[in-house]
Amino acid sequence: MEHSRHVFRIALVLVVAISAFVLLRTLFVPRTYGDYGPYRGGNVVEQAHVREPRHAGSDGCTSCHAKQAADRKTGGHKAVSCEVCHGPSGIHVQAGAVKGKMPVDRSYQLCARCHRKIEGRPEKFPQVVLDQHVPAALETGVCLQCHNPHSPKP
Amino acid sequence: MPEISGFAFPNDIHVHWSLMIVMYPYITGFVAGSFIVTSLYHVFGRQEFKPIAKLSLAASFCFLLIAGMPLQLHLGHPERGIFVMITPHFTSAMAGFGLLYTTYLVIVALEVWFVWRQDIIEAARRARGLKRSLYKAMALWTYDSSPEAQEVDHKVITVLAGIGLPMACMLHGYVGFIFGAIKANPWWSTPLMPVIFLLSAAVSGIALLSVVYQVVSKLRRAPAEEPTVSALARWLWFFLILTITLELLEIIMLAYEKDESWHIISQLLTTRLEFSFITVQMIIGGMIPLILLGIVVMANKYMAPRLRNGLTVAASLLLLLQVFSMRWNVVIGGQLLSKSLRGLRSTYNPELFGREGVLMAIALFITPFVLMFLFDRLLPIHKAGEGAVPGEAKTGSAHV
């Protein structure tokens, strides 16, 4: 035992370290951890309240963008909400005044997101093999040269 | 924009687990592999590993220190990374990391302390000023270096290494378990996965030590010990045979069973992973080292030290590549096939910059060596003059 003093010392250090860890853990672990499962229970309530709806719906666009709205009603995108392509518009207009700009995405990737040929899509859904369909270079605005996105014709 | 071939679901084409998730098992593998080598000496008494027992323990410790870094870099919310350590639980495989990692880190740190205790005491006696205070604190103000105390150290080291070895196996086995337990993905879901990960970890660890040992020997102008090099080559060959066999068995089982997933897995292996699996993992990184190490092991006694060292290092470097490609093929390969089992996406090219980029991966690989250098400055891995041949840089045998 006389020659094992260092073993007891390091064991003491270990006990102190574990105690410090347990103590610090109580400070770091959120109070609501484990309320519902192995995560912070308070997060469920926070997420429900913090994230306000950002979408305004297509009806909100009509009053200012009447022409585009009219075009959309007659074309192939009539079932596609404005915000699908333009993004959430909840903070674009508030109390009748424009509050935030809505940048317009003219990239071919936006169109390709739905219309790129993928075997997994329904057969009748309009879709193209980009390299074969586009004779020019694949660049921003290339789809808009032939298609009107508000009222696309096949 | 990734290209899609076959019948893939449109929302099924994202590689979420990036290069960092390839680096994670790669680095953890070195931890386990190096610890196996140090345990071969400390637990199983293989004297031929004595010259690298400290080196492999230091390597295991330094790689362990950064084993969590790839995960941290991958997190979208890095500030939440700490929670895996302080709120471990068993409802998800990943959340077990906190328990396994912390326990193993404590065991390795304790073993480091006991193995280097005599050196710490010597340094505390020799050093002056602040350095002396540092070493005295590290020695915990006990300076018993009597043979009886050393005997106690030896016993404790054996116990720690005895506990550490299964812990190392569990730490890396669980990394394989994370993939093996994903039942929705036929390329991952096999009980063989933890075993393959563990064996390839042993391969990567021993290969790394073979290279590092030769480099350190050159730098120290001390000849690499012939029995050590031969033993490394022998164990490396042994683990490589097991690894390649299991890796092939997994494919052969799938090919023979020909269940519904084989259609897509065979396409995956022969198209998207053709280079990284067939060329790198199986031929360049698998077959060639298997032959090279086979020559070293079977023609060992006829071999000049220079040739033995050269062949072992060459095979080890190829094996480091093999294990990396194995991690790549598992992690990335599993994300290239659609859940429909009828479509594939184009291959994944990691970015160069950025926190999940190629440069970061290289930095991650280099960091443990920097840590080893600093470790050596604080706790010398080799005693001054140990095994050195003054004025001679050639490698050779000290036990011929």
Side-chain angles (χ1 to χ4, degrees):
Chain A
M1 291 298 272
E2 188 195 334
H3 296 286
S4 305
R5 187 183 292 167
H6 62 284
V7 180
F8 291 106
R9 287 267 173 100
I10 193 79
L12 186 67
V13 169
L14 195 61
V15 169
V16 170
I18 292 170
S19 308
F21 176 79
V22 171
L23 194 70
L24 284 172
R25 189 181 175 275
T26 57
L27 297 176
F28 279 106
V29 175
R31 206 168 42 81
T32 57
Y33 178 84
D35 279 2
Y36 307 116
Y39 55 88
R40 188 166 62 89
N43 189 48
V44 178
V45 184
E46 277 173 31
Q47 291 299 319
H49 291 95
V50 167
R51 292 193 171 182
E52 291 172 16
R54 299 288 186 203
H55 290 83
S58 292
D59 293 343
C61 311
T62 314
S63 54
C64 297
H65 305 283
K67 185 185 174 305
Q68 287 86 343
D71 282 356
R72 190 175 69 86
K73 277 188 178 165
T74 58
H77 278 171
K78 62 184 172 192
V80 181
S81 168
C82 306
E83 289 167 310
V84 170
C85 301
H86 290 286
S89 63
I91 53 171
H92 175 47
V93 175
Q94 282 176 338
V98 175
K99 292 283 181 187
K101 284 191 173 179
M102 298 270 301
V104 178
D105 185 356
R106 295 186 169 82
S107 69
Y108 75 91
Q109 285 98 333
L110 179 66
C111 307
R113 201 165 68 192
C114 297
H115 296 292
R116 183 164 60 132
K117 175 74 178 167
I118 294 178
E119 294 294 334
R121 294 193 203 281
E123 208 174 314
K124 287 181 182 169
F125 187 81
Q127 46 190 325
V128 295
V129 177
L130 287 172
D131 295 340
Q132 294 170 13
H133 182 71
V134 183
L138 277 173
E139 58 189 17
T140 299
V142 71
C143 306
L144 307 181
Q145 289 173 14
C146 302
H147 301 283
N148 171 9
H150 291 115
S151 182
K153 307 282 183 296
Chain B
M1 195 172 239
E3 287 304 314
I4 296 174
S5 63
F7 192 102
F9 299 132
N11 60 350
D12 206 16
I13 54 166
H14 306 288
V15 172
H16 292 290
W17 287 357
S18 66
L19 181 58
M20 284 303 119
I21 306 300
V22 178
M23 290 304 289
Y24 169 56
Y26 192 49
I27 286 179
T28 320
F30 292 132
V31 177
S34 305
F35 199 84
I36 288 171
V37 175
T38 196
S39 298
L40 282 172
Y41 170 68
H42 286 301
V43 182
F44 300 106
R46 308 296 307 187
Q47 289 300 315
E48 60 269 34
F49 287 112
K50 191 178 179 185
I52 55 163
K54 277 185 166 180
L55 180 70
S56 48
L57 183 57
S60 186
F61 184 61
C62 293
F63 273 93
L64 184 61
L65 288 179
I66 67 137
M69 277 304 289
L71 296 177
Q72 191 68 25
L73 286 162
H74 177 70
L75 284 182
H77 274 279
E79 78 280 3
R80 294 181 188 168
I82 186 72
F83 286 103
V84 79
M85 310 299 288
I86 60 173
T87 56
H89 57 86
F90 293 106
T91 57
S92 101
M94 194 63 236
F97 174 83
L99 275 179
L100 287 166
Y101 180 88
T102 317
T103 315
Y104 184 59
L105 182 65
V106 168
I107 289 167
V108 176
L110 284 174
E111 189 172 337
V112 164
W113 189 77
F114 277 102
V115 168
W116 267 273
R117 204 177 72 83
Q118 296 306 318
D119 301 82
I120 295 170
I121 292 169
E122 273 178 40
R125 284 177 182 149
R126 214 174 40 243
R128 292 284 172 268
L130 196 66
K131 216 171 164 185
R132 185 184 174 94
S133 306
L134 174 72
Y135 281 113
K136 282 170 82 172
M138 283 172 70
L140 298 178
W141 298 277
T142 61
Y143 312 102
D144 190 352
S145 55
S146 62
E148 291 84 356
Q150 289 190 33
E151 186 55 35
V152 171
D153 285 348
H154 179 70
K155 282 180 185 162
V156 175
I157 290 166
T158 308
V159 171
L160 284 172
I163 302 169
L165 189 58
M167 278 304 297
C169 294
M170 276 176 71
L171 179 68
H172 202 72
Y174 120 91
V175 176
F177 176 86
I178 289 174
F179 292 97
I182 297 178
K183 59 189 169 196
N185 191 320
W187 181 229
W188 287 337
S189 178
T190 161
L192 276 181
M193 198 59 88
V195 187
I196 294 176
F197 263 66
L198 190 55
L199 289 169
S200 61
V203 168
S204 71
I206 300 172
L208 181 85
L209 284 169
S210 296
V211 177
V212 172
Y213 181 49
Q214 295 289 348
V215 172
V216 169
S217 299
K218 285 270 181 201
L219 290 175
R220 293 180 61 239
R221 294 170 180 273
E225 301 269 352
E226 183 196 310
T228 308
V229 177
S230 302
L232 281 169
R234 207 163 48 240
W235 282 89
L236 192 52
W237 196 50
F238 170 70
F239 279 116
L240 180 62
I241 290 169
L242 292 180
T243 305
I244 299 270
T245 307
L246 284 185
E247 284 174 5
L248 279 174
L249 265 179
E250 188 198 354
I251 306 295
I252 291 166
M253 288 284 284
L254 286 166
Y256 183 77
E257 284 181 359
K258 273 196 175 60
D259 72 0
E260 67 275 15
S261 64
W262 176 243
H263 173 75
I264 197 68
I265 289 174
S266 59
Q267 276 187 53
L268 179 74
L269 294 177
T270 50
T271 58
R272 304 298 191 270
L273 301 183
E274 187 189 10
F275 177 71
S276 58
F277 183 79
I278 299 174
T279 311
V280 181
Q281 189 181 333
M282 284 299 156
I283 299 172
I284 297 176
M287 254 173 59
I288 296 176
L290 196 70
I291 295 166
L292 292 180
L293 289 170
I295 294 169
V296 173
V297 173
M298 288 188 282
N300 190 30
K301 60 181 175 180
Y302 309 108
M303 206 168 270
R306 203 185 171 89
L307 180 63
R308 182 189 301 110
N309 293 344
L311 287 177
T312 310
V313 168
S316 300
L317 288 171
L318 289 175
L319 284 172
L320 292 179
L321 186 68
Q322 195 265 358
V323 176
F324 180 80
S325 62
M326 179 263 174
R327 310 299 194 225
W328 174 277
N329 292 329
V330 169
V331 177
I332 303 298
Q335 298 174 86
L336 300 182
L337 54 94
S338 169
K339 302 291 176 293
S340 67
L341 303 186
R342 285 293 177 272
L344 292 168
R345 61 155 275 168
S346 54
T347 193
Y348 158 75
N349 295 311
E351 56 184 359
L352 182 61
F353 302 103
R355 63 193 175 108
E356 295 195 68
V358 174
L359 290 180
M360 187 57 85
I362 295 169
L364 267 178
F365 186 70
I366 293 171
T367 308
F369 296 103
V370 176
L371 289 176
M372 275 170 79
F373 173 75
L374 295 174
F375 185 103
D376 186 52
R377 303 286 294 179
L378 189 67
L379 302 170
I381 292 170
H382 294 97
K383 283 186 177 166
E386 188 185 60
V389 178
E392 207 176 311
K394 71 171 186 181
T395 54
S397 165
H399 291 271
V400 176

Coordinates of all heavy atoms in Angstrom, one line a residue, chain B residues 183-210:
Chain B
K183 N -31.6 0.2 -41.4 CA -32.2 -0.9 -42.1 C -32.8 -0.5 -43.5 O -33.1 -1.3 -44.3 CB -33.3 -1.6 -41.2 CG -34.4 -0.6 -40.8 CD -35.3 -1.3 -39.8 CE -36.2 -0.3 -39.1 NZ -36.8 -0.8 -37.9
A184 N -33.0 0.9 -43.6 CA -33.6 1.3 -44.9 C -32.6 1.3 -46.1 O -33.0 1.4 -47.2 CB -34.2 2.7 -44.7
N185 N -31.3 1.2 -45.7 CA -30.3 1.3 -46.8 C -29.6 -0.1 -46.9 O -28.8 -0.5 -46.1 CB -29.3 2.4 -46.4 CG -28.4 2.7 -47.6 OD1 -28.0 1.8 -48.3 ND2 -28.2 4.0 -47.8
P186 N -29.9 -0.8 -48.0 CA -29.3 -2.1 -48.1 C -27.8 -2.2 -48.3 O -27.1 -3.2 -48.0 CB -29.9 -2.7 -49.4 CG -30.3 -1.5 -50.2 CD -30.7 -0.4 -49.2
W187 N -27.2 -1.0 -48.7 CA -25.7 -1.0 -48.8 C -25.1 -0.9 -47.4 O -23.9 -1.2 -47.2 CB -25.3 0.2 -49.7 CG -23.8 0.4 -49.9 CD1 -23.1 1.6 -49.8 CD2 -22.9 -0.6 -50.3 NE1 -21.8 1.4 -50.1 CE2 -21.6 0.1 -50.4 CE3 -22.9 -1.9 -50.7 CZ2 -20.5 -0.6 -50.8 CZ3 -21.8 -2.6 -51.0 CH2 -20.6 -1.9 -51.1
W188 N -25.8 -0.4 -46.4 CA -25.3 -0.3 -45.0 C -25.8 -1.4 -44.1 O -25.0 -1.8 -43.2 CB -25.7 1.1 -44.5 CG -25.1 2.3 -45.0 CD1 -23.8 2.3 -45.6 CD2 -25.5 3.6 -45.1 NE1 -23.5 3.5 -46.0 CE2 -24.5 4.4 -45.7 CE3 -26.7 4.3 -44.6 CZ2 -24.6 5.8 -45.9 CZ3 -26.8 5.6 -44.8 CH2 -25.8 6.4 -45.5
S189 N -27.0 -1.8 -44.3 CA -27.7 -2.6 -43.3 C -27.2 -4.1 -43.3 O -27.7 -4.9 -44.0 CB -29.2 -2.6 -43.5 OG -29.8 -3.4 -42.6
T190 N -26.1 -4.3 -42.6 CA -25.6 -5.7 -42.5 C -24.9 -5.8 -41.1 O -24.2 -4.9 -40.7 CB -24.7 -6.1 -43.6 OG1 -23.9 -7.2 -43.2 CG2 -23.7 -5.0 -44.0
P191 N -25.2 -6.9 -40.4 CA -24.5 -7.1 -39.1 C -23.0 -7.2 -39.3 O -22.2 -7.1 -38.3 CB -25.0 -8.4 -38.6 CG -26.2 -8.7 -39.4 CD -26.1 -8.0 -40.7
L192 N -22.5 -7.4 -40.5 CA -21.1 -7.5 -40.8 C -20.4 -6.1 -40.6 O -19.2 -6.0 -40.4 CB -20.8 -8.0 -42.2 CG -20.8 -9.4 -42.4 CD1 -20.5 -9.7 -43.9 CD2 -19.7 -10.1 -41.6
M193 N -21.2 -5.0 -40.7 CA -20.6 -3.7 -40.8 C -19.7 -3.3 -39.6 O -18.6 -2.9 -39.8 CB -21.7 -2.7 -41.0 CG -21.3 -1.3 -41.5 SD -20.5 -1.4 -43.1 CE -21.9 -1.3 -44.2
P194 N -20.2 -3.5 -38.3 CA -19.3 -3.2 -37.2 C -18.0 -4.0 -37.2 O -16.9 -3.5 -36.9 CB -20.1 -3.6 -36.0 CG -21.5 -3.6 -36.4 CD -21.5 -4.0 -37.9
V195 N -18.1 -5.3 -37.6 CA -16.9 -6.1 -37.7 C -15.9 -5.7 -38.8 O -14.7 -5.5 -38.5 CB -17.3 -7.6 -38.0 CG1 -16.1 -8.5 -37.8 CG2 -18.4 -8.0 -37.0
I196 N -16.5 -5.3 -39.9 CA -15.6 -4.8 -41.0 C -15.0 -3.5 -40.6 O -13.8 -3.3 -40.8 CB -16.4 -4.6 -42.3 CG1 -16.9 -6.0 -42.8 CG2 -15.6 -3.9 -43.4 CD1 -17.8 -5.9 -44.0
F197 N -15.7 -2.6 -40.0 CA -15.2 -1.4 -39.5 C -14.0 -1.6 -38.5 O -13.0 -0.9 -38.5 CB -16.3 -0.5 -38.9 CG -16.8 0.5 -39.8 CD1 -17.6 0.1 -40.9 CD2 -16.7 1.9 -39.6 CE1 -18.1 1.0 -41.8 CE2 -17.2 2.8 -40.5 CZ -17.9 2.4 -41.6
L198 N -14.3 -2.5 -37.6 CA -13.3 -2.8 -36.5 C -12.0 -3.4 -37.1 O -10.9 -2.9 -36.8 CB -13.9 -3.8 -35.5 CG -13.1 -4.0 -34.2 CD1 -12.9 -2.7 -33.6 CD2 -13.9 -4.9 -33.3
L199 N -12.1 -4.3 -38.0 CA -10.9 -4.9 -38.6 C -10.2 -3.9 -39.5 O -8.9 -3.9 -39.5 CB -11.3 -6.2 -39.4 CG -11.8 -7.4 -38.6 CD1 -12.4 -8.4 -39.4 CD2 -10.6 -7.9 -37.8
S200 N -10.9 -3.1 -40.2 CA -10.2 -2.1 -41.1 C -9.6 -1.1 -40.2 O -8.6 -0.4 -40.6 CB -11.1 -1.5 -42.1 OG -12.2 -0.9 -41.5
A201 N -10.2 -0.8 -39.0 CA -9.5 0.1 -38.0 C -8.2 -0.5 -37.6 O -7.2 0.3 -37.5 CB -10.4 0.3 -36.8
A202 N -8.2 -1.8 -37.3 CA -6.9 -2.4 -36.9 C -5.9 -2.2 -38.1 O -4.7 -1.9 -37.8 CB -7.1 -3.9 -36.6
V203 N -6.3 -2.5 -39.3 CA -5.4 -2.3 -40.5 C -4.9 -0.9 -40.5 O -3.7 -0.7 -40.7 CB -6.2 -2.7 -41.8 CG1 -5.4 -2.3 -43.0 CG2 -6.5 -4.2 -41.8
S204 N -5.8 0.1 -40.4 CA -5.4 1.5 -40.6 C -4.4 1.9 -39.5 O -3.4 2.6 -39.7 CB -6.6 2.4 -40.7 OG -7.2 2.5 -39.4
G205 N -4.7 1.5 -38.2 CA -3.9 1.8 -37.1 C -2.5 1.2 -37.2 O -1.5 1.9 -37.0
I206 N -2.4 -0.1 -37.6 CA -1.1 -0.7 -37.7 C -0.3 -0.1 -38.9 O 0.9 0.1 -38.8 CB -1.2 -2.3 -37.8 CG1 -1.9 -2.8 -36.6 CG2 0.1 -2.9 -38.0 CD1 -2.3 -4.3 -36.7
A207 N -1.1 0.1 -40.0 CA -0.4 0.7 -41.2 C 0.2 2.1 -40.8 O 1.3 2.4 -41.2 CB -1.4 0.8 -42.3
L208 N -0.6 2.9 -40.1 CA -0.1 4.2 -39.7 C 1.1 4.1 -38.9 O 2.1 4.8 -39.1 CB -1.3 4.9 -38.9 CG -0.9 6.3 -38.5 CD1 -1.2 7.3 -39.6 CD2 -1.7 6.8 -37.3
L209 N 1.1 3.2 -37.9 CA 2.2 3.0 -37.0 C 3.5 2.5 -37.8 O 4.6 2.9 -37.5 CB 1.9 2.1 -35.9 CG 1.0 2.7 -34.8 CD1 0.5 1.7 -33.8 CD2 1.8 3.8 -34.0
S210 N 3.3 1.7 -38.8 CA 4.4 1.2 -39.6 C 5.1 2.3 -40.2 O 6.3 2.4 -40.3 CB 3.9 0.2 -40.6 OG 3.4 -0.9 -40.1

